[in-house]
Amino acid sequence: LDTNLRMAPPDHTRQVSTDFSFDGGDPGFGAAAELCFGVGACRSQESLMCPSYQVTFEEQHSTRGRARLLFEMMRGELEDGWRSVAVRESLELCLACKGCLHECPERVDMATYKAEFLSHYYERRLRPLRHYLLGLIPWSARLASRNPQLANLVTHGPLAGVGKRLVGIAPQRAVPAFAPQSFTDWFAARGGSQVPGEPVLLWPDTFNNHFHPEVAIATTHALEAAGRRVRVPEQWVCCGRPLYDYGMLTLARRRLEQTVELLRDDIRAGVPLVAMEPSCGAVFRNELRNMLPGDEDAQRLARQTLTVGEFFATAAAEVTLPRLDRKALVHLHCHQRATSDVDCDRAVLERLGLRYEVLDDGCCGLAGSFGYEAGAPYEVSMKVGEQQLLPRVRELEAETLVITDGFSCRSQIEHGASGRRALHLAEVIAMAFDE
């Protein structure tokens, strides 16, 4: 009585080869596509899950609707299979926020399913130009850092609007400006860490390295104030986060393999790795496990990766933090909620003495490159941000701190809240030590 309740013979799930392991299950992606049983928790208006559905109210933009289409694709009901336009259109407005991984009763991970689908959909096909520009930003940012003034002239000069139209970037969006000096250049010129304590690896992600180096510098100062010797990988590194948004998974796997090989000695020595950007930390805790399930060092790296909040709440729990008598509004990054212990952030805020409020739910809406794309993605991005985050920030007093670790979240706040600058938790900790 308890067999074939979902699919009766002769129906069957297709066997497919995938980039992700999907927990090594059989039949892998097919089993993942069958996880959703239709309870509809993703249709709630008071949760993190499925921000696109919360503003479109269309079933195809809910986790359940997308899972149903993937289920039908794997059953062979959609003739085009991996080239299904219906599935692609359904996934186009998925913000890859991983809210479903956190809140879905069956832990449906639509962000991973989307990356896997796009990998197959565009196999041996030319992609839209914006996929290459935004997906390969770690490489273009590295190139631009050699002459940031010229790069900023291209992205912010008289012809910037023409470039946005050609690429498909929303004209309303200001492209982030490259910093005059990257964090890694600053760290090298400084001569490394100034504290002879226990080592900690600081991950120099693309966003805080090339666009907001002040965050990485503040993190360095905060870690050193905690008595740790900060180390930065000697070679160029990237977790490949933007690649997943467009399903460039072959290149993403290569980056992860290179990262594990470069850090192997530190991984085996148990050196913790602090990831400033929540989406990069999520790669090590989620995508890394799924892409390299047989590599024990990859699994160790996933366990040794910490957010700034987790580091100060666990590894540096004995450190006395100075009191900072300020009010603060805190927004937690979606990937942070899905893959890390956000109670650690609350514990650190308590130790700092801040009078703070954490927004219970809601996405910023920018979601990496999603909110930069012209048309429906930009419109959905702004509608999502206007649900809670942006109105709350706009009504704050000027002296109230706005705290969020996500580069996308800070960018969305600056864009949608009259240029208001939000701070990374590391900047607040460094501020407390400075005062």
Side-chain angles (χ1 to χ4, degrees):
L1 292 177
D2 61 352
T3 59
N4 298 320
L5 294 180
R6 186 73 180 269
M7 293 196 301
D11 292 334
H12 65 280
T13 300
R14 297 164 54 204
Q15 298 284 343
V16 293
S17 175
T18 58
D19 291 283
F20 287 105
S21 68
F22 296 100
D23 296 325
D26 186 15
F29 186 79
E34 294 173 22
L35 282 176
C36 174
F37 58 84
V39 70
C42 50
R43 293 168 60 91
S44 170
Q45 293 297 299
E46 297 179 355
S47 67
L48 171 65
M49 183 165 41
C50 241
S52 54
Y53 171 78
Q54 292 178 14
V55 298
T56 66
F57 301 104
E58 295 184 14
E59 176 71 7
Q60 68 167 335
H61 297 143
S62 68
T63 301
R64 183 174 71 178
R66 292 172 178 134
R68 179 67 193 184
L69 283 169
L70 290 170
F71 173 69
E72 292 175 359
M73 182 188 80
M74 294 305 296
R75 278 182 29 162
E77 295 181 16
L78 304 181
E79 294 182 1
D80 294 335
W82 288 115
R83 297 292 173 90
S84 170
V85 174
V87 176
R88 190 207 70 206
E89 290 178 346
S90 175
L91 292 171
E92 277 181 345
L93 293 185
C94 171
L95 280 70
C97 67
K98 292 188 180 291
C100 46
L101 177 65
H102 176 55
E103 295 184 348
C104 172
E106 290 300 309
R107 298 297 183 264
V108 168
D109 185 1
M110 194 55 62
T112 298
Y113 303 174
K114 176 183 179 180
E116 186 68 54
F117 173 81
L118 291 178
S119 175
H120 292 270
Y121 183 86
Y122 285 108
E123 187 175 7
R124 293 188 295 275
R125 272 181 166 181
L126 281 176
R127 297 166 171 269
L129 183 58
R130 68 179 181 277
H131 285 212
Y132 299 105
L133 181 68
L134 299 176
L136 300 177
I137 194 170
W139 286 265
S140 58
R142 185 186 182 197
L143 179 63
S145 67
R146 298 179 181 177
N147 194 332
Q149 293 81 7
L150 177 61
N152 288 332
L153 180 62
V154 172
T155 57
H156 295 82
L159 298 179
V162 176
K164 287 180 183 179
R165 286 194 295 272
L166 289 175
V167 174
I169 293 178
Q172 302 92 326
R173 288 284 182 193
V175 178
F178 291 94
Q181 183 184 41
S182 69
F183 164 69
T184 49
D185 286 346
W186 172 87
F187 192 80
R190 182 184 189 235
S193 185
Q194 307 297 309
V195 175
E198 295 181 15
V200 57
L201 276 170
L202 182 58
W203 184 257
D205 61 89
T206 295
F207 313 105
N208 291 313
N209 186 20
H210 296 293
F211 299 106
H212 286 178
E214 67 275 7
V215 171
I217 292 171
T219 306
T220 301
H221 291 321
L223 294 174
E224 289 181 340
R228 300 304 194 270
R229 176 167 55 90
V230 178
R231 293 180 45 223
V232 174
E234 295 180 359
Q235 300 180 32
W236 175 69
V237 291
C238 176
C239 70
R241 174 75 261 171
L243 300 171
Y244 298 96
D245 294 339
Y246 298 106
M248 299 177 174
L249 299 186
T250 299
L251 186 54
R253 175 187 292 274
R254 193 177 308 148
R255 291 307 312 160
L256 290 179
E257 290 172 341
Q258 292 170 346
T259 295
V260 173
E261 182 60 34
L262 176 64
L263 302 181
R264 202 175 296 278
D265 290 342
D266 288 313
I267 293 170
R268 292 180 177 178
V271 178
L273 182 144
V274 172
M276 297 170 284
E277 175 58 37
S279 59
C280 296
V283 167
F284 293 139
R285 287 173 154 169
N286 184 243
E287 282 86 358
L288 177 62
R289 291 178 187 268
N290 290 335
M291 278 231 169
L292 306 178
D295 190 323
E296 288 298 323
D297 288 329
Q299 306 306 309
R300 292 189 185 99
L301 177 56
R303 294 190 294 269
Q304 290 168 208
T305 298
L306 301 171
T307 65
V308 171
E310 287 173 330
F311 180 84
F312 277 91
T314 57
E318 80 288 351
V319 175
T320 300
L321 297 180
R323 306 289 285 182
L324 192 61
D325 185 21
R326 298 283 292 275
K327 291 192 293 185
L329 181 71
V330 182
H331 173 75
L332 297 170
H333 189 288
C334 296
H335 290 179
Q336 193 175 3
R337 291 179 185 269
T339 63
S340 65
D341 185 356
V342 295
D343 286 338
C344 289
D345 288 67
R346 292 185 173 91
V348 173
L349 294 169
E350 293 283 351
R351 287 164 59 191
L352 287 168
L354 286 167
R355 289 166 283 136
Y356 68 93
E357 175 192 355
V358 178
L359 295 178
D360 292 333
D361 51 49
C363 174
C364 77
L366 187 54
S369 59
F370 176 84
Y372 283 96
E373 297 185 12
Y378 174 79
E379 294 168 5
V380 168
S381 168
M382 295 311 298
K383 288 179 180 178
V384 171
E386 291 292 346
Q387 283 189 303
Q388 180 179 181
L389 176 63
L390 295 179
R392 289 298 309 277
V393 172
R394 286 195 291 263
E395 69 185 19
L396 292 177
E397 299 172 345
E399 61 271 16
T400 300
L401 302 178
V402 181
I403 305 173
T404 182
D405 286 359
F407 175 81
S408 294
C409 306
R410 297 194 300 274
S411 299
Q412 179 77 316
I413 289 170
E414 184 176 2
H415 175 71
S418 304
R420 182 70 179 257
R421 182 174 182 269
L423 300 175
H424 191 286
L425 178 60
E427 292 182 284
V428 177
I429 296 172
M431 180 192 303
F433 276 114
D434 287 342
E435 290 190 2

